[in-house]
Amino acid sequence: MKIGIICYPTYGGSGVVATELGLALAGRGHEVHFFSTARPFRLGAFQSGVFFHEVPVVHYPLFEHTPYTLTLASTLHETIKLHGLDVIHAHYAIPHAAAAYLAREMGGGRPPLVTTLHGTDITLVGSHAAYAPVVKFTIDQSDRVTAVSEFLKRETHERIGVRREIRVIPNFVCGTIYRRRERNTLRELLAPRGVPVLMHVSNFRPVKRIGDLVRAFIQVHRRARCRLLLIGDGPERAQAERIAQEAGVLDDVLCLGNQGDVVELLSIADVYCLPSETESFGLSALEAMACEVPVVASRVGGLPEVVQDGETGYLFEKGNVDDMAARLLDLLRDSDRRIAMGKAARARALELFPQEKIVSQYEELYGEIV
Ligand code: GMT
């Protein structure tokens, strides 16, 4: 098949899932065309069967905001005419499903359109009154709609009022790439003399509640030797550093910024923390689990579908910093339990969310409509 994939190029789970899916499909012999304003950060070097189409962002003095939806629709339309795509797969409803809908209509109803909902396109931005009518319309008009968790499927029905069938195809991880490696030198560099490492990876948006994480770390740090490694960047990073500085723990809070190879870093993590306000799935938690890192996360959204409380990590009530700190401390103090939970985490990741199985589910879905 010739498959067009639309995604955001920036650091964020939806772009990661779209990119990994496209690369895996190309690995199976499909021709995959990516559409984005910049090369998605996980796309890497040239791979046979993978094409990237940069969507132009055209400025004009009259425009206060550039109408990206239209340039995306035009780019899709031209590529469909030129290459004869069999299916368009829009990742993240806003505005990708709308642009894909437009391109399909321009092509006389072809090719069919799959929309994958990722989370904030429904739970935050998508349910805003300014977007919801278009989100609902484009979901209804898609030939197939998928959501990355049962939670997100429910939310789409309840919040947006969508009645049509939504198929849950969860996010996935490649167990061959995401596995724990011996990285003693890196560990010695970032956390010398066996200091236990707590880790968090995100784009530091308010929804991630980074402040809660630093406050819990401050409590843990008073009672046990540990270091917090924060990977990624975004609007809440400076505040996180300020909280750590005021508490006098900044020396043990390392903000590494955006990183290319998270597997290397996850390989030196002892516990992964995700204290989000909401999370439709929590892909970063799954990647940590595949690297044998137990996850301490808030009991929100789709996270309970990923993290098994008491087996592969712990869940706490959102905003309960004391409980988060207690759970982190438990794991730091009991290395046997920590290691056992890490192994259980990898086993769950590979049993429920293996790349091979989930990519096949998308392939079957395309097969139904092409
Ligand atoms: O949460 C983010 O920072 C990024 C966002 C996105 O759309 O790129 O992530 C959403 O999609 C991921 C991939 O499906 C999910 O794993 C995340 O849970 C989801 N984020 C939220 O729901 C907040």
Side-chain angles (χ1 to χ4, degrees), residues 12-15 17 92 118-120 148 171 203 205 207-208 278-283:
S14 60
V17 172
Y92 205 91
H118 278 275
T120 48
V148 298
N171 290 333
N203 46 24
R205 285 195 265 123
V207 71
K208 303 294 174 187
T278 177
E279 205 66 64
S280 69
F281 184 90
L283 181 65

Side-chain angles (χ1 to χ4, degrees), residues 11-59:
Y11 291 89
S14 60
V16 170
V17 172
T19 310
E20 304 282 8
L21 172 63
L23 292 175
L25 289 164
R28 292 180 180 202
H30 299 289
E31 185 175 305
V32 178
H33 294 256
F34 283 97
F35 297 86
S36 201
T37 47
R39 200 173 169 82
F41 79 100
R42 286 243 182 129
L43 199 48
F46 171 77
Q47 182 181 321
S48 171
V50 176
F51 301 88
F52 170 59
H53 304 264
E54 187 164 320
V55 178
V57 179
V58 182
H59 297 279

